[in-house]
Amino acid sequence: MIKKQQDQLLTKDEQLINKAMESTTCEIHMGQYPIFCLTTQKPDDTRLVFRESAKLASGQAVKEWIIRVADDYGWPGEHEAEVWRAIQHLIELRARDGCLTNPIETTLEEIRQHMSHDSRGGRQRKQLVWSLACLRNTSLETNLWYHADIKIHKHASFSLLASLSWTFKELSNKTKIIDHVFIGFGPEMFKNIQENYVRPVDKGFRDQMLKKWLAKRLYELLGLKFYALRERYVPYQIRYSRLCHLLGIKPQQHLSLAKRILGRSHTELINALFIAKVEWFPVKSGDQDWVLRYWPGSRAKAEWTQDYWKGV
């Protein structure tokens, strides 16, 4: 009898772990966890680890998110993030039209059309090719340790782009330029794309109303959090240090400097009615850290309805 109960508990725990692991590798978490380094001073290391713990069923779970980059290309930054968002938008359009394939076939010009007009290097073919190669050489790993009566460890690893190739065409002056680009995705990534795990993003609002990339990143992150809390009528609350890790920026030791760096993006989002207000509170432990509370604005609440996304 005891053995049967233990087996049932193990089965239940394994199901929860598998579900948590699947959600960790899906695109919604790629919008939550950091991939791109938005600071001007990039890390010297080629490996970045983000770790957090959470209560899961009858035990404690530790989730780990690891980004690895190649020495030749370094850390993907603001321009690579713009290219990645453009690729995501292309995928969404292909899926809507029922013509999504793996790999997808596109051109450098089509990718540029879906980038914001003021993105750095967005109109330079060489910079675009470099960013695509940087994304191809950026790999992700997830680990999940579950501590209960037994210990379970799950691991998954994948690349942002599983394959990247192109064909050339020759101009009248004998110059060769890239013609068609083929972008492939691994099975985990493509499955999540097909099942539409990613939260929709209002590309027009993000690229036209928001000027700073940090504001765009906050929009993507807070959109996920506001939607998850939509029925509880409470603000999204997060520690400043953790928010910096999720945004890909360096935490500051002084409140005035922390507010100055985030304040510009907060102002953009408040003026755009996506955030109603932001509150800062010191942590009880007395550490050089703070708690931020974000209250959703009218635009954020409008995104909770299906009608909002018609025609977006």
Side-chain angles (χ1 to χ4, degrees):
M1 183 68 178
I2 296 177
K3 178 66 165 57
K4 183 178 180 181
Q5 291 176 341
Q6 289 177 338
D7 291 341
Q8 289 176 343
L9 180 61
L10 174 60
T11 302
K12 182 180 179 181
D13 286 347
E14 286 183 331
Q15 289 174 349
L16 288 170
I17 290 296
N18 290 334
K19 184 177 180 180
M21 196 63 193
E22 181 180 354
S23 68
T24 303
T25 57
C26 76
E27 283 187 318
I28 193 169
H29 282 68
M30 294 182 65
Q32 173 176 328
Y33 291 149
I35 299 175
F36 306 100
C37 186
L38 304 184
T39 58
T40 54
Q41 294 182 341
K42 300 294 189 290
D44 295 329
D45 199 354
T46 58
R47 183 174 180 267
L48 177 66
V49 180
F50 176 77
R51 186 180 292 108
E52 65 180 356
S53 59
K55 187 74 174 178
L56 185 64
S58 57
Q60 191 75 9
V62 177
K63 298 174 70 174
E64 193 175 64
W65 176 262
I66 303 171
I67 306 105
R68 295 181 184 272
V69 300
D71 286 326
D72 293 343
Y73 296 97
W75 287 93
E78 182 175 332
H79 188 260
E80 286 72 35
E82 284 276 5
V83 174
W84 175 247
R85 298 299 185 263
I87 292 172
Q88 286 185 310
H89 190 63
L90 283 173
I91 291 170
E92 184 179 341
L93 294 178
R94 298 280 202 280
R96 288 182 187 178
D97 295 338
C99 58
L100 179 61
T101 59
N102 188 22
I104 65 169
E105 180 180 349
T106 182
T107 63
L108 297 181
E109 288 71 22
E110 186 179 31
I111 295 174
R112 288 189 307 186
Q113 288 174 3
H114 296 285
M115 296 173 63
S116 60
H117 296 299
D118 58 351
S119 61
R120 299 175 189 171
R123 300 182 181 181
Q124 300 176 12
R125 295 174 66 91
K126 288 184 179 180
Q127 180 63 34
L128 191 48
V129 171
W130 176 275
S131 294
L132 285 170
C134 181
L135 293 174
R136 174 64 185 93
N137 286 274
T138 300
S139 61
L140 309 172
E141 295 179 27
T142 59
N143 289 295
L144 194 147
W145 289 273
Y146 180 55
H147 306 278
D149 295 333
I150 60 171
K151 294 183 179 180
I152 302 176
H153 175 216
K154 295 285 185 177
H155 171 84
S157 59
F158 53 98
S159 299
L160 283 177
L161 306 181
S163 64
L164 176 65
S165 61
W166 43 68
T167 59
F168 293 89
K169 68 178 179 180
E170 188 174 294
L171 303 180
S172 57
N173 61 0
K174 304 301 182 181
T175 301
K176 286 186 177 181
I177 64 171
I178 292 177
D179 186 13
H180 292 277
V181 180
F182 300 88
I183 301 172
F185 304 91
E188 303 91 351
M189 181 79 72
F190 194 67
K191 175 185 176 183
N192 293 316
I193 291 172
Q194 288 179 308
E195 295 182 358
N196 198 27
Y197 282 161
V198 65
R199 172 191 173 271
V201 170
D202 187 342
K203 188 176 182 298
F205 168 73
R206 184 192 64 194
D207 293 342
Q208 297 173 19
M209 297 293 294
L210 305 177
K211 302 302 180 184
K212 297 186 179 299
W213 175 253
L214 189 55
K216 298 178 184 180
R217 179 73 183 100
L218 265 172
Y219 162 67
E220 294 172 348
L221 177 65
L222 292 176
L224 290 170
K225 303 303 183 181
F226 286 159
Y227 184 77
L229 296 171
R230 66 191 183 282
E231 296 180 354
R232 296 174 57 185
Y233 304 100
V234 295
Y236 171 59
Q237 183 170 293
I238 186 173
R239 278 209 177 200
Y240 166 75
S241 56
R242 182 170 187 266
L243 178 63
C244 288
H245 288 304
L246 296 180
L247 294 177
I249 62 175
K250 182 180 179 180
Q252 302 298 321
Q253 298 297 315
H254 301 285
L255 179 59
S256 59
L257 191 54
K259 284 187 173 182
R260 186 188 312 167
I261 292 175
L262 285 177
R264 301 162 190 157
S265 298
H266 287 165
T267 300
E268 276 198 44
L269 290 167
I270 289 173
N271 291 340
L273 304 180
F274 190 76
I275 295 176
K277 65 178 178 178
V278 184
E279 299 173 309
W280 294 71
F281 300 94
V283 295
K284 295 181 180 179
S285 61
D287 297 335
Q288 290 296 105
D289 205 354
W290 305 274
V291 173
L292 286 86
R293 288 180 184 169
Y294 289 96
W295 294 83
S298 57
R299 176 177 284 274
K301 294 177 181 178
E303 290 191 4
W304 301 346
T305 64
Q306 292 184 353
D307 290 340
Y308 179 89
W309 299 103
K310 293 179 179 179
V312 173

